[in-house]
Amino acid sequence: MKLPASTSPEGHPWVVRDERTASPRFNALFGGAKACAASAPDAFAAWLLAPFPLREFERAVLTKRPLAIRRADRGYYSGLFSTASIDRALRARTLRYTSELDLATYTPDGGRKTLNPPAPPGEDFPLAGAEDVWAAHAAGASVRLSWPQRVDDALWTACHLLDEQWGGASGANAYLTPPGGKAGFAPHWDDVDVFIAQLEGRKEWTVHAPAQLHPLASSGNLPPAELPAEVLRLCLHEGDLLYLPRGWVHHAATPDEPGRAAHAGAPTGAPEAPSGGRQGSLHVTLSTGRAESWSALCDGLLAHSLPLAASATAAWRANLPLGWERYMGCLLYTSPSPRDGLL
């Protein structure tokens, strides 16, 4: 693999290729007790990003720029999650609409629509049944699982290893999108760094420059006419990875063109490639960096330390200086003065 030029400007997306046709699988490397080894977090991060060097990723990519890895090995992420994993969770009756699963559609003209059924009397969230979910998916709805690691051991292990590697609260979402140019979600930015692993089928991604660097909250749905400049467009195939720092605007849809059949060997009732061979998409996003900012750190520290300081030190409980409201704060700052220390 040839690394991108070190002189490329910060924020410029990088795309690299992994020409290996056979690579170690997740379960072989991190299954069972292997995930408990002291070296496992570092090894998992290196495997997730291979062949891009982990230390180079931390130095030049993490929080700074998007990175796409195009792989010749289409089965690279096999064993991490699958359509069969979703089907098993649905048939075990462990997923509830809204809290753990959403059905959604999106078009630029019509916007995003959530198709979850209402909860029955006495319940906050209705149970999601396999037949109903697969019928909605066949009719064009995308399926999003929140916290799929709760029902899948491999994803739970992956999130645990990310926690250990980079700290913070890691997480996961899974997105199953029908074929034929379908999308379930509007353009948006996230408040976390995401690693998008393409597991089944293909999906076309468009990435735009961040509207705000390092935002502290996700954006909500963004109007297509108001998006920042486009910086990257690519189609992720099985085995590919796309890393996006928080704040980078993105949206995706399945290709509106024929492709090889997806979801081969899917369980009965789960989606299969429709006639014509058009393919859907399954990807999982692993996230890290939630509330990992100086602002969040200081907010937590001050919230706990100021009451302790006020309890222990009389100066913190003393009245403010007379007339403080006429000269404190940047709004009234016009020129240097002896009161600068109070600004």
Side-chain angles (χ1 to χ4, degrees), residues 24-105:
R25 300 300 190 243
F26 177 85
N27 288 329
L29 294 172
F30 308 106
K34 296 177 182 177
C36 300
S39 60
D42 205 64
F44 171 72
W47 172 84
L48 183 69
L49 297 161
F52 199 92
L54 176 57
R55 301 286 89 87
E56 180 67 9
F57 174 82
E58 293 175 337
R59 184 194 69 81
V61 177
L62 186 63
T63 76
K64 297 179 177 69
R65 69 178 79 243
L67 171 68
I69 300 175
R70 316 299 301 271
R71 290 199 173 91
D73 183 359
R74 297 296 190 217
Y76 191 84
Y77 292 119
S78 63
L80 190 59
F81 197 64
S82 67
T83 301
S85 304
I86 301 175
D87 190 70
R88 283 193 296 270
L90 287 170
R91 297 188 187 281
R93 306 287 287 178
T94 58
L95 299 175
R96 291 185 177 272
Y97 288 108
T98 306
S99 63
E100 296 163 314
L101 184 146
D102 290 299
L103 300 173
T105 61

Side-chain angles (χ1 to χ4, degrees), residues 173-191:
N173 286 326
Y175 299 84
L176 184 67
T177 310
K182 296 294 193 299
F185 301 92
H188 66 281
W189 73 69
D190 295 311
D191 61 349

Side-chain angles (χ1 to χ4, degrees), residues 209-248:
Q212 179 187 23
L213 285 176
H214 314 308
L216 300 179
S218 298
S219 67
N221 299 334
L222 300 176
E226 300 178 13
L227 300 181
E230 181 181 318
V231 297
L232 181 65
R233 181 177 295 193
L234 78 167
C235 184
L236 292 186
H237 295 73
E238 295 171 7
D240 292 347
L241 180 80
L242 176 62
Y243 163 76
L244 295 175
R246 61 188 169 107
W248 288 72

Side-chain angles (χ1 to χ4, degrees), residues 23 45 78 93 120-121 130 174 176 178 191 196 250 253 255 277 283 289 292 301 328 338:
S23 309
S78 63
R93 306 287 287 178
L176 184 67
D191 61 349
I196 301 162
H250 55 279
H283 75 267
E292 290 282 303
L301 289 175
M328 287 184 67

